[in-house]
Amino acid sequence: MIFFDLDGTLVDHRSAVLETIGRIVRAAPNATAPPEELVTLWWTLEARHMREYLTGQCSFAEHHRRRLRSFLPVLGEPVPEDPGLLDAWIAERYLTVFEESWRCYPDVQPCLEALKRLPRGPRLAVLTNGDPAQQRAKLARFGLHEYFEAVLTPTELGAAKPAAYAAACRHLRTDPAQAVNVGDMLESDVNAAALAGLTGIWLDRGIDFVTGGPSPTADETVLRIERLTDLPDHLAGVAR
C-alpha cells in the first residue's frame, strides 16, 4: 500500500498560494505594508489557522474567515462582521484565482503509470490534511482520480496527520509494516509516518514547503528521492 501526500507532492500548492495572494496585494492601493510582507503574512496566517482547523477548533470555512480578519486591515480594507461577506471575499477574490493557479508536478503521472505497470502493482491512496472537496477537485483537474482507490482526509478518518497514518491503515485494512507514505515534508510525511509503523519516503523537491528556503537536512537513514519517477525503484519488498 502506498499513501501519497497531495500538496507539495502531487500538486504545487505553495506556488499557487503565492501567485494568488501576490496578485491580490499588488492590486491593493491602501495596503499598509509592501507586497512581499503581505505575501509572507498570508502564508503565516494560512499555517496558523490551518492548524486550528486540523485540531478541530474551527471549520474549514471558518479558518478562511480567521485569516481574513487578520489580513484585511493590513491590506487596507474593512473587515466585514457578516461571515457571509467574508466567505464571498474568499470565493470571489481568492479561490477563483487560486484554483486557476494549481499546477500538477510533471513527474506525477509518469510515476503513477509506472506503478500501474508493475507486475504486482501496489494499492495506491491519497492521504492529505486538506479539505476533501478541494483536494478531490485538484485530482479531478489533472485526471489523477483513476489511479487511487481512496482519497483520505481528516473528514473521513476523524484525525489529521500524524494520527491519520494509523487510521488510514485501519480504514484500508492494510498492515502499517507493509505500507509506504510518500511526501515532501520530512517531519510530518516521513518521520511521523515511520513512528506509526509505515515506511516514509521523502520526496525532496529542493525547497522547504513552509519557509520556501532550502530543504531541511535529513538523517542518512531516511529514504530520499528527488523525483517521483524514482519511486518504483525504492519499493522492493516494502509495499503490497
Side-chain angles (χ1 to χ4, degrees):
M1 182 86 228
I2 304 177
F3 295 105
F4 285 86
D5 174 55
L6 200 159
D7 293 323
T9 299
L10 305 180
V11 174
D12 189 352
H13 172 83
R14 181 182 174 87
S15 293
V17 170
L18 299 185
E19 179 179 338
T20 303
I21 206 64
R23 289 196 212 177
I24 291 171
V25 302
R26 287 191 296 271
N30 300 315
T32 64
E36 59 272 18
E37 290 185 20
L38 288 168
V39 170
T40 299
L41 173 62
W42 180 266
W43 187 251
T44 300
L45 292 170
E46 173 177 311
R48 177 187 306 161
H49 297 303
M50 189 66 177
R51 283 194 297 271
E52 293 170 352
Y53 161 67
L54 293 173
T55 55
Q57 298 177 50
C58 65
S59 68
F60 192 72
E62 177 60 23
H63 110 281
H64 273 144
R65 297 178 197 130
R66 291 182 179 187
R67 281 197 234 175
L68 270 190
R69 291 184 186 111
S70 296
F71 188 73
L72 286 178
V74 190
L75 194 64
E77 297 187 18
V79 181
E81 291 186 12
D82 182 354
L85 293 177
L86 294 171
D87 294 344
W89 195 103
I90 287 289
E92 295 164 13
R93 296 180 58 185
Y94 182 76
L95 290 179
T96 299
V97 180
F98 177 56
E99 291 172 8
E100 291 172 356
S101 302
W102 291 342
R103 300 289 183 271
C104 181
Y105 292 106
D107 55 1
V108 173
Q109 195 154 12
C111 167
L112 297 175
E113 284 291 328
L115 293 174
K116 190 166 69 172
R117 291 194 299 268
L118 291 176
R120 295 181 59 197
R123 300 164 64 197
L124 308 180
V126 171
L127 179 57
T128 169
N129 276 347
D131 172 69
Q134 190 174 86
Q135 301 301 65
R136 288 184 172 87
K138 291 174 186 175
L139 296 172
R141 168 81 61 82
F142 303 111
L144 301 179
H145 255 305
E146 65 180 86
Y147 295 100
F148 302 105
E149 68 175 79
V151 179
L152 302 176
T153 75
T155 299
E156 289 81 17
L157 299 175
K161 300 176 187 177
Y165 292 116
C169 289
R170 290 193 299 269
H171 187 84
L172 294 180
R173 296 182 174 85
T174 189
D175 181 354
Q178 300 298 327
V180 169
N181 190 71
V182 181
D184 64 295
M185 297 186 71
L186 181 59
E187 285 302 321
S188 59
D189 291 326
V190 180
N191 294 340
L195 286 174
L198 292 76
T199 297
I201 296 182
W202 182 30
L203 174 61
D204 179 8
R205 292 199 178 276
I207 185 173
D208 186 290
F209 180 87
V210 176
T211 67
S215 299
T217 301
D219 185 277
E220 61 183 13
T221 62
V222 170
L223 294 174
R224 174 183 169 276
I225 57 177
E226 294 183 354
R227 296 168 298 276
L228 277 177
T229 44
D230 296 334
L231 179 63
D233 292 337
H234 285 69
L235 297 179
V238 177
R240 297 187 177 92

